[in-house]
Amino acid sequence: MNVLITGAAGYIGTMLIERLAHSDSIDAIYGIDIRAQPARCGYCDKLRWICADVAEDEWVSTVDEKVIDVVIHCAYQIRELYGGKRKQQELWNVNGARKVFEFALTSPSVRRVVQLSTVSAYGALPQNSVDRPFSEESPLCEDAYLYGVQKKRVENLLWHLFRRLRPSAHVVVLRLASVSGPRGRFGLNRYGLLSTIAGRFPFLVCGRPDWGRQYLHEDDLIDLVSTLVHLSPRTGYEVFNVAPPDFLDATSIGRLFKKRLVVLPPLLLRALFALLWHGSRGAVTTPAGAWRFLSYPIRIDGSRLQRAYGTEYRYSSLQALMAREGRYADPPRKSLETPVESVGTS
């Protein structure tokens, strides 16, 4: 089969290429990205690189001549751009997704579409509780943080295009917890909101004592997507939460980062984030709505995926967040340096 990966030069895209390149059942991998082919993918003879913006039309005519079996949509500008640059972000994220989905759902050869979404789309809201995990039927309520807002819009777009263009296709939407692992943390120095805040202050701030996070190890994500690529043909529209069951509470996260935990009133945290965002002109990643993701917990139930496809989470949230071991470590390591028992989780 032939696989098309958008955002192929990104964190997840490159790991997918490296993994799928070793599959005997895959003839060619078409990677699309606005950036040049990464050096780490240079060895892959199956890779056909297309340097293009998915929001533009040029790439469509190139891949339209190919027989593509599976489309994996990873392309996304996650970090919010400051000021007028948000218009460009809209083009990349929403219009780009539309182009990819329209291609996939109008190409007869494409039998499966895998869309990488996020748990942020549920919304970090005051009524959230760690005792009531979000299921896949829970409404997507994020209305401020641009990352979650646009992912919510992209999901809605995909659903309507699926219903209108080809309901006989197989679409899988993966709502991911924060992805972490040795490639992201040490190979790419990729740090999210939590690590950014922890790195800039001698303490860890949050807006509520019951705040916390779940983390997904990069190996578990890549194994899952590889499993979906190789599934036998089927039809339907499926949505899955993807995260291990353990939940890292605020106290545990503070201990992991060796930071004193400081709980601020959410409105004060909101003002601090706004000051950092505008004062740095976006250099500090604290855009509108981000303060809520350090105030109100989003805990998801990722068990439906296990029941549907028999997949297992090899790594806990703790292991994912602090990971130095895994397939993409350099060199690969299998054993934990920090015992799971050393940090409490709930």
Side-chain angles (χ1 to χ4, degrees):
M1 69 179 110
N2 297 324
V3 177
L4 173 68
I5 301 174
T6 67
Y11 171 41
I12 293 172
T14 53
M15 292 188 293
L16 281 172
I17 291 170
E18 292 173 64
R19 176 66 189 278
L20 297 177
H22 297 290
S23 172
D24 293 336
S25 63
I26 293 178
D27 297 318
I29 302 169
Y30 293 90
I32 301 179
D33 203 292
I34 200 169
R35 294 166 290 181
Q37 177 177 325
R40 68 175 74 247
C41 297
Y43 74 93
C44 179
D45 295 334
K46 296 180 180 181
L47 181 59
R48 312 289 183 263
W49 197 259
I50 302 171
C51 192
D53 180 350
V54 292
E56 303 295 336
D57 293 323
E58 289 78 5
W59 66 271
V60 178
S61 58
T62 301
V63 297
D64 216 16
E65 303 170 354
K66 317 299 180 185
V67 178
I68 305 295
D69 299 277
V70 179
V71 173
I72 308 169
H73 184 46
C74 305
Y76 200 85
Q77 173 63 37
I78 296 177
R79 180 170 177 167
E80 184 169 333
L81 304 179
Y82 189 76
K85 296 178 181 178
R86 284 184 56 160
K87 294 181 180 178
Q88 180 62 64
Q89 195 160 351
E90 173 84 10
L91 290 173
W92 282 336
N93 290 342
V94 181
N95 289 15
R98 181 187 297 276
K99 293 278 186 189
V100 173
F101 299 154
E102 287 178 343
F103 162 78
L105 295 171
T106 57
S107 298
S109 65
V110 176
R111 56 181 174 82
R112 180 166 298 120
V113 180
V114 180
Q115 159 65 11
L116 302 190
S117 190
T118 174
V119 301
S120 297
Y122 287 119
L125 303 174
Q127 63 266 29
N128 291 4
S129 170
V130 296
D131 297 323
R132 298 190 304 273
F134 288 96
S135 72
E136 289 81 357
E137 285 74 30
S138 301
L140 304 181
C141 296
E142 182 54 39
D143 59 1
Y145 186 42
L146 191 63
Y147 175 49
V149 169
Q150 290 188 336
K151 284 287 191 179
K152 179 176 71 172
R153 290 178 57 194
V154 167
E155 277 202 43
N156 186 60
L157 174 65
L158 177 55
W159 166 246
H160 284 92
L161 288 174
F162 165 79
R163 292 287 302 273
R164 178 167 62 87
L165 296 177
R166 188 149 58 97
S168 61
H170 184 214
V171 171
V172 183
V173 177
L174 303 176
R175 292 177 184 157
L176 309 177
S178 298
V179 180
S180 183
R183 168 68 64 82
R185 294 189 70 219
F186 306 109
L188 299 175
N189 292 323
R190 179 183 179 273
Y191 297 104
L193 173 65
L194 177 61
S195 298
T196 299
I197 297 299
R200 290 178 179 269
F201 296 95
F203 46 81
L204 179 65
V205 296
C206 68
R208 214 165 70 177
D210 67 340
W211 169 80
R213 302 284 294 269
Q214 284 165 295
Y215 288 87
L216 175 66
H217 194 285
E218 57 195 27
D219 281 15
D220 283 338
L221 172 58
I222 300 306
D223 288 347
L224 168 60
V225 176
S226 177
T227 296
L228 294 174
V229 167
H230 292 91
L231 282 178
S232 58
R234 60 191 68 192
T235 62
Y237 190 99
E238 298 184 291
V239 179
F240 297 108
N241 290 333
V242 190
D246 66 313
F247 182 84
L248 294 176
D249 58 37
T251 301
S252 297
I253 292 174
R255 192 177 302 132
L256 285 168
F257 281 94
K258 299 181 179 178
K259 302 281 185 177
R260 183 168 65 91
L261 184 68
V262 176
V263 180
L264 298 178
L267 290 181
L268 180 58
L269 190 61
R270 178 182 184 178
L272 174 63
F273 270 40
L275 179 64
L276 290 171
W277 175 248
H278 294 293
S280 68
R281 298 188 62 81
V284 181
T285 55
T286 54
W291 63 274
R292 300 196 309 197
F293 289 82
L294 279 178
S295 299
Y296 311 123
I298 298 179
R299 185 174 193 169
I300 62 170
D301 178 1
S303 63
R304 173 187 284 184
L305 178 66
Q306 295 172 292
R307 295 192 300 271
Y309 292 114
T311 58
E312 295 294 335
Y313 298 103
R314 294 172 52 223
Y315 296 90
S316 66
S317 288
L318 168 62
Q319 292 169 319
L321 176 59
M322 307 306 291
R324 290 179 179 272
E325 76 287 350
R327 184 182 300 119
Y328 304 97
D330 187 19
R333 291 189 243 182
K334 295 182 179 179
S335 61
L336 279 173
E337 295 184 356
T338 304
V340 175
E341 292 77 16
S342 67
V343 178
T345 60
S346 62

